[in-house]
Amino acid sequence: MKSIIYSLMGLLIFLAACNTLEDRPSDGAILSASQLTVSVVQNPAGSNSVKLVNTTKDIIMFWDWGSGTGHSASSKDTVAAYLPFKGTYTLRFTAFCAGGTVTDSTTFTIAQNDDAYFDTDPAWKGLTAGGAGQTWVWALDIPGGIIGGNGPENCPSPAWWTMDASSGNSWLNFNDAVYMDLNGAANFSHIAGDGSVKKGFFTVIAPYVNGGVSYSAIQVLNGPSFPWPTGAGGYSGVRYHFTVMTADKLSVHDYGQYNIGMFKRKGFNY
């Protein structure tokens, strides 16, 4: 059984429990987990549309929805979500009763990916080889040797300041790679040259628009990034738009900015 942690800007979410607060028996009875009546409604069974319903009397139910960049919550008795990913999910919830709190969990299953949802923006399938999974590496054999630099925000490759592999791996992490798929979540992994992996998730965000042309964009959640420095020199670190996105080639811009990295599909040779 797996817990899925992700965000699709209000649609894709991981489900996590809040911290239990102090219990106060003197204020009244504390319910046991078995006394909580919570149901997961899917019509039909396995549907991507999910309704979470609390029918326990005299409590406030707290559903904790994690977004990867923070937490939000709902105290309504009925909440709904749309989850486009196939998988088994663990929902955790906390009930506030007269004497304190009690936390419990339940599971539900999404029968299949909603393929039509992933056709709404080319980034979903274009970055993930149709969803099955894709590894992107630095295009070190690119003709002309220019693999990074900057240029206009709509430029397919660096046009102002440029750099090649001689710029030094310690800064650009040329041995690192990125892997993305849609298997149970929008998964994003940064694979370091030493084999260590930092896992997170991604979500498609509003396209970057320049000169009337829209370029697909994503935000990465939970820690990883494309292999260049984050949080310095104007790099956004976790948001990107793509001026080239083919089965084999990827031009990665910091979102709405001029920093550019040139990547390719692992195994592709120019």
Side-chain angles (χ1 to χ4, degrees):
M1 186 179 298
K2 58 184 178 181
S3 295
I4 306 301
I5 308 174
Y6 60 92
S7 171
L8 295 179
M9 306 307 285
L11 296 178
L12 308 183
I13 54 179
F14 78 83
L15 308 172
C18 65
N19 293 330
T20 301
L21 302 180
E22 178 185 3
D23 293 332
R24 297 179 298 277
S26 60
D27 293 337
I30 302 173
L31 296 179
S32 65
S34 63
Q35 292 175 289
L36 301 179
T37 53
V38 172
S39 59
V40 178
V41 180
Q42 294 168 276
N43 188 16
S47 170
N48 299 92
S49 295
V50 181
K51 185 181 293 184
L52 312 173
V53 182
N54 165 55
T55 55
T56 315
K57 299 297 184 180
D58 301 321
I59 68 162
I60 297 175
M61 185 63 75
F62 186 94
W63 318 92
D64 188 11
W65 305 80
S67 68
T69 55
H71 291 80
S72 60
S74 173
S75 59
K76 297 180 180 179
D77 281 334
T78 301
V79 294
Y82 182 82
L83 307 174
F85 296 104
K86 175 182 178 180
T88 299
Y89 296 78
T90 299
L91 166 67
R92 296 182 176 89
F93 46 89
T94 297
F96 290 76
C97 49
T101 63
V102 58
T103 296
D104 199 9
S105 65
T106 189
T107 62
F108 61 93
T109 299
I110 302 296
Q112 60 186 7
N113 276 12
D114 180 1
D115 194 61
Y117 178 85
F118 300 114
D119 287 330
T120 58
D121 190 288
W124 290 118
K125 295 181 178 179
L127 295 171
T128 63
Q134 181 72 282
T135 299
W136 299 99
V137 298
W138 285 99
L140 296 177
D141 61 342
I142 194 170
I146 302 303
I147 60 171
N150 56 39
E153 292 87 341
N154 61 348
C155 192
S157 59
W160 300 336
W161 172 63
T162 62
M163 64 185 76
D164 56 26
S166 65
S167 301
N169 185 62
S170 62
W171 188 71
L172 285 179
N173 306 313
F174 294 148
N175 296 324
D176 292 8
V178 160
Y179 173 80
M180 307 173 72
D181 69 39
L182 299 178
N183 298 321
N187 299 298
F188 185 107
S189 296
H190 181 135
I191 306 167
D194 62 6
S196 61
V197 179
K198 180 180 289 187
K199 295 183 178 182
F201 307 90
F202 74 94
T203 181
V204 171
I205 59 176
Y208 171 70
V209 181
N210 186 298
V213 179
S214 295
Y215 300 96
S216 289
I218 66 169
Q219 181 170 351
V220 182
L221 307 170
N222 215 39
S225 66
F226 273 88
W228 53 43
T230 60
Y235 291 92
S236 66
V238 293
R239 297 196 303 159
Y240 308 96
H241 74 267
F242 308 96
T243 53
V244 174
M245 185 193 302
T246 71
D248 300 315
K249 305 172 184 179
L250 197 64
S251 293
V252 182
H253 287 247
D254 286 296
Y255 185 77
Q257 298 185 41
Y258 47 77
N259 305 303
I260 309 170
M262 307 299 291
F263 290 82
K264 68 174 187 176
R265 173 180 58 83
K266 184 177 181 180
F268 172 73
N269 296 312
Y270 278 89

